Amino acid sequence: MAEIYKNFINGEWVNSKSGETFENRNPANWNEIVGIFPRSAAEDVNLAVQSAGKAFNEWRLVPAPQRGEIMKKAGDIMVERKEEIARLMTREMGKVIAETRGDMQEGIDTAYYAFGEGRRLFGHTVPSELMNKFNMTMRMPIGVAGVISPWNFPMAIPTWKIFPALLTGNTVVFKPASDTPATATKLVEIFLEAGVPPQAINLVHGTGNSVGIPIVEHPDIDLISFTGSSAVGKIISQKAGKDLKRISLELGGKNAQIVMDDANLHLALEGVLWGAFGTTGQRCTATSRLILHEKIHDKFLDMLAERVSRLKLGNGLDESVDVGPVINAPAREKIHGYVEIGRKEGAALLVGGEYAEEGDLKKGFFYKPTIFSGVTPNMRIAREEIFGPVLSVIKVKDFDEAVQVINGVIYGLSSSIYTQDVNRAYRAIRDIQAGITYINGPTIGAECHMPFGGVKETGNGHREGGWTVFEFFSEIKTVYVDFSGKLQRAQIDNR
Ligand code: NAD
């Protein structure tokens, strides 16, 4: 029997007002129903926003170190439940168990980072230009945060948003992706058990159109934190922008790894295997392009093709599996559509390029890890986000051409270069247009205490993670205290 899940609104676990539901199935075995969830709409969102609005007035007054202690308790519960939730996550979205454990760990790290930040949330004290006057800044909560998340990091990404939102004194209306509502529900259970006031955290399940848009357009939602595709990010930006809402957008990528002629090729090989085929290529930071120096191009490609053809596909709960399924049938069709485009554009299909349907694989949505060589920078497979296990290999003659190619896309999230030349490494850091650059590491591997985000169409300039996310979720208040006992006019009386 499939488990029945609910929304969490106004301190209670409830069905959607309409009573409608949707199913969540395992992409490795479509016959397995992971859970049944409420299909919600604007009326459910309204109740959730009302609840969060009421709770804000009390939660904002709880001292930040005390809020931090609740975040610490949430982290402790996540440690206890790590394995159980990692297994559920693999069942609902397919990535292999080592990676869903990592996804849980990122949530735990984020909880403990928020705990520490509760005793920081620094402002500045700054000398006044006038006698007997004191200047400082403080960080203030903003109000009700709308949190909209994608399915590929079902625990980590919501924690990146909700821990800093709550820690800084905001309350939350959370809409997880409809492909990963079960993990999201576990996170809300954890916040409640840790002691977050029940009305301060609200969970509304459903689609982008029926729940996401009402959140974005609701007049009492003060800020939106969104992670997902650039196409949806643009819609949100327009809708929320007209009310001047504060919006953080973390969007798509077309990340590349450069391998120079002096690179340690074995290291670069491990890097690209992990970067391109980890999470079945469905990471915003996935290595989607491989830029090879012409001197090592043929040798490296042989090494890579041999390893890729040996990757084991299967159900991610099997510890020996390297690559899980893709998230659903439309995603697999889209990936295969790009493979067809690559063929028509004249790229050479080296390995993969088809559905994987041997034995039990036919129960799910598996796609063979795929490499195209002979790709040129103007091809669509070199420019557009595919979000699947497809790697486009581009040959270049030198470092300058590599940088030109890496920068020649509309996205700018992650980037990587393998080289032993320290001068080149620093030039790459300076010249690559991306929010993140790895030297001698793959394009994936974010740590929770470092800013995360991208340039160009990957976002709108905000960063998640690190100290920067606490800036997004709080407003600066500038305070002047005049203890002179008289009117002092800045710029006038002291001249
Ligand atoms: P998506 O944009 O389809 O959906 C993301 C979320 O937005 C989901 O919860 C969805 O229901 C909701 N949504 C959809 N349409 C909406 C609308 N019109 N209004 C409001 N909400 C709406 O993305 P996805 O398929 O879940 O995730 C994959 C995408 O996310 C990729 O493009 C990937 O690069 C990106 N991503 C980016 C980052 C990052 O930090 N930059 C991290 C992970 C994923």
Side-chain angles (χ1 to χ4, degrees), residues 149 151-152 175 208 226-229 232 250-252 284 385 387 452:
S149 58
W151 53 266
N152 64 338
K175 188 209 98 62
F226 170 81
T227 298
S229 59
V232 173
E250 297 293 340
L251 311 175
C284 52
E385 186 179 47
F387 221 60
F452 181 94

Side-chain angles (χ1 to χ4, degrees), residues 125 220 256 305 390 404 406 466 487:
T125 57
D220 296 331
V390 179
Q404 200 186 343
I406 209 170
L487 172 67

